Amino acid sequence: YQRRVRVFFLLSWIRMTLKEYQIIGRKIPTGDDPKPPVYRMRIFAPNKIVVKSRFWYFLGQLHKIKRSSGEILAVNEIFEKKPLKVKNFGIFLRYNSRTGTHNVYKEFRDTSRTGAVNKLYMDMAARHRTAFRSIQILDVKEIPASKAKRASTLAFIDSKIKFPLPHRIPRAPLKKYRKTFRPVRPTTWA
């Protein structure tokens, strides 16, 4: 039973689809500091629990505020305004490898920010063997076609792009015309 549960959690992380959240939090007001500053972050994570965990991780690094001395004011999921339009995204990130910390800029084409970030995590895992916990996304920007730099993005920025279908196998329109064996080979280049 324990092995099945472990495998289930492993598979749920493999198929992880990230969502974009906005989280707002601050230090708990005290007599010395009655109006502490409020901090807002946009975090990509599979659920709200991971969002809160990442928020306190980053806030501890940046402003030395712990979960025990802070409070979360709001957690909201952010949705894409135009989810059917294909856009170019430039992503700035920092990741920890075995040798040190590296700053990276990558570009992806997708219909949403969350889709681009999902592609980013898959790409970083494939090319650099980087785990989810080792990646810090600094900024995700929608970029115009004129500002795109990477060859993988530039290859698809073309108003007259075509995707030919070279190997077409004609199918019989009715079942009575279908045959297992035929006297001539089909023409697949038409």
Side-chain angles (χ1 to χ4, degrees):
Y1 175 74
Q2 286 181 331
R3 188 174 180 282
R4 254 188 293 162
V5 170
R6 208 176 312 133
V7 168
F8 171 75
F9 282 115
L10 181 67
L11 289 174
S12 66
W13 274 97
I14 290 170
R15 289 187 309 228
M16 174 175 61
T17 51
L18 300 173
K19 299 172 188 170
E20 186 176 11
Y21 291 93
Q22 169 186 279
I23 183 165
I24 302 167
R26 65 175 180 176
K27 194 174 180 181
I28 294 173
T30 58
D32 296 338
D33 192 7
K35 288 188 178 178
V38 176
Y39 301 102
R40 175 183 164 273
M41 287 186 193
R42 291 170 80 139
I43 297 176
F44 294 90
N47 54 45
K48 288 185 178 183
I49 297 161
V50 178
V51 170
K52 290 175 186 177
S53 174
R54 298 289 283 174
F55 177 74
W56 290 121
Y57 170 75
F58 291 130
L59 218 59
Q61 280 189 334
L62 297 169
H63 301 289
K64 302 288 186 270
I65 299 172
K66 292 194 295 184
R67 182 180 295 184
S68 59
S69 62
E71 64 181 353
I72 290 174
L73 303 175
V75 181
N76 306 315
E77 188 176 345
I78 300 171
F79 297 98
E80 192 71 29
K81 287 179 183 172
K82 294 182 180 178
L84 300 176
K85 181 188 170 195
V86 178
K87 299 170 275 287
N88 305 312
F89 292 99
I91 302 176
F92 293 93
L93 67 129
R94 178 188 302 134
Y95 78 96
N96 296 322
S97 70
R98 295 184 188 109
T99 55
T101 305
H102 312 281
N103 294 316
V104 179
Y105 170 74
K106 286 187 171 283
E107 288 179 357
F108 296 95
R109 278 175 63 82
D110 208 291
T111 55
S112 66
R113 289 163 59 94
T114 54
V117 170
N118 273 314
K119 284 183 179 178
L120 166 83
Y121 276 105
M122 293 298 156
D123 186 63
M124 292 299 291
R127 291 179 196 268
H128 305 285
R129 300 288 187 268
T130 309
F132 175 80
R133 67 181 178 276
S134 303
I135 298 172
Q136 296 178 15
I137 296 173
L138 304 175
D139 196 10
V140 179
K141 287 187 178 178
E142 186 181 333
I143 55 172
S146 59
K147 295 275 176 83
K149 299 174 185 173
R150 302 291 185 256
S152 60
T153 312
L154 292 170
F156 291 98
I157 299 175
D158 183 8
S159 59
K160 295 182 177 70
I161 193 166
K162 293 180 180 179
F163 297 98
L165 301 169
H167 188 72
R168 304 299 299 268
I169 300 172
R171 304 284 182 208
L174 298 171
K175 191 171 183 179
K176 66 180 181 179
Y177 298 124
R178 288 184 201 147
K179 300 220 175 3
T180 308
F181 303 103
R182 290 183 171 272
V184 289
R185 287 177 177 273
T187 54
T188 60
W189 59 85

